[in-house]
Amino acid sequence: QKEVEQNSGPLSVPEGAIASLNCTYSDRGSQSFFWYRQYSGKSPELIMSIYSNGDKEDGRFTAQLNKASQYVSLLIRDSQPSDSATYLCAVKKGAPTNAGKSTFGDGTTLTVKP
Amino acid sequence: GAVVSQHPSWVICKSGTSVKIECRSLDFQATTMFWYRQFPKQSLMLMATSNEGSKATYEQGVEKDKFLINHASLTLSTLTVTSAHPEDSSFYICSAKSSGANVLTFGAGSRLTVL
C-alpha cells in the first residue's frame, strides 16, 4: 500500500463544474496536508495547506480533512480551463513547523473542458 | 513571498560528465532543502533532505556518491550528478523551507538530458 494514494485520473470536467480530487494516506501520525498544482513541465506550486479536521476555503478552492478516515480532498468550484493541471497531494508526519519531509501522491491530472 | 531560484533550468550534457544544479533561497534562510527527481508523467520522488551545515540524508535507493548534495550556506544548496548517464535524464526539482515555516517553496526545476 502506498503511503499516499490519489484517485486515478485523468479527471475531466466541463468549465464551471466542481472538480473533486481525493487523497488517502496510511500513516495515522500525519499532521500536515498539502495540495500542490503542477502544470506540465513546471514545478509544483502550493494551492492549499490544512492541518485540522474540517473544511478550509480559499477562493474557489476548498480542502477537506478527515483524520479519522485518513482522507483529504480538494474541491475546485467553477472550474476553469486554467485549472487544467496535475494536482499532487502531500502528507507530512510532523507538526507543520518542523523540518520533516512530505510524501507525495502520484497526482491526479485534471482537464477542464471549455 | 518566499522565492527559490533554481539554475540551470535546462542542461544537456554528454554521458560521463558531471552536472551541477544550484538551488538558492532569495529572500529567506533555507534551513532545510529537499531534492526531487521526476520522470515524465510520474510523481515527485524525494532523493534527499539537506540541512544546512550537515550531511544530506538520502532516500533508500538513491546513490549518495552519484548525487552529491552540498548545503554549505543558508541560501544555497547544490546537487551534482556525477558521471551522468542517459538514465539520469530527468526533471530535478528543489524545495526549501525556513526554520519554523510550514510550507515548502519549490524551485522552477532543472531538466537534465544526458546524451
Side-chain angles (χ1 to χ4, degrees), chain A residues 26-81:
Chain A
S26 60
D27 190 337
R28 286 195 171 273
S30 302
Q31 297 187 37
S32 307
F33 307 87
F34 309 91
W35 282 99
Y36 291 87
R37 177 176 63 197
Q38 186 176 25
Y39 292 114
S40 180
K42 304 294 184 181
S43 64
E45 55 180 326
L46 182 69
I47 298 295
M48 293 280 285
S49 59
I50 186 167
Y51 312 114
S52 303
N53 280 327
D55 295 0
K56 179 181 178 182
E57 185 175 319
D58 183 0
R60 296 186 295 111
F61 299 95
T62 299
Q64 299 174 318
L65 175 61
N66 184 326
K67 290 185 179 179
S69 300
Q70 297 175 239
Y71 172 91
V72 57
S73 67
L74 179 69
L75 299 178
I76 306 174
R77 292 182 300 280
D78 188 24
S79 296
Q80 301 296 310

Side-chain angles (χ1 to χ4, degrees), chain A residues 34 38 43 51 96-98 101 105, chain B residues 38 43 59 97 100-102 107:
Chain A
F34 309 91
Q38 186 176 25
S43 64
Y51 312 114
T97 55
N98 78 12
K101 63 183 182 182
Chain B
Q38 187 176 37
S43 189
E59 294 299 301
K97 68 186 297 293
N102 57 5

Side-chain angles (χ1 to χ4, degrees), chain B residues 4-6 21-25 33 35 75-77 94-95:
Chain B
V4 172
S5 173
Q6 190 172 339
I21 300 170
E22 293 187 348
C23 182
R24 292 181 184 273
S25 57
M33 287 187 171
W35 286 95
T75 59
L76 174 65
S77 178
C94 71
S95 68

Side-chain angles (χ1 to χ4, degrees), chain A residues 6 32 34 36 38 40-46 49 51 88-89 92 95-102 104-107, chain B residues 31-32 34 36 38 41-44 46 49 51 59 91 93 97-109 111:
Chain A
Q6 297 185 235
S32 307
F34 309 91
Y36 291 87
Q38 186 176 25
S40 180
K42 304 294 184 181
S43 64
E45 55 180 326
L46 182 69
S49 59
Y51 312 114
L88 302 172
C89 171
K92 187 158 75 78
T97 55
N98 78 12
K101 63 183 182 182
S102 294
F104 287 81
D106 288 342
Chain B
T31 51
T32 305
F34 301 91
Y36 307 84
Q38 187 176 37
K41 299 191 184 300
Q42 295 186 26
S43 189
L44 296 175
L46 180 66
T49 302
N51 291 298
E59 294 299 301
F91 191 43
I93 308 172
K97 68 186 297 293
S98 60
S99 176
N102 57 5
V103 295
L104 298 173
T105 300
F106 283 84
R111 190 164 301 281

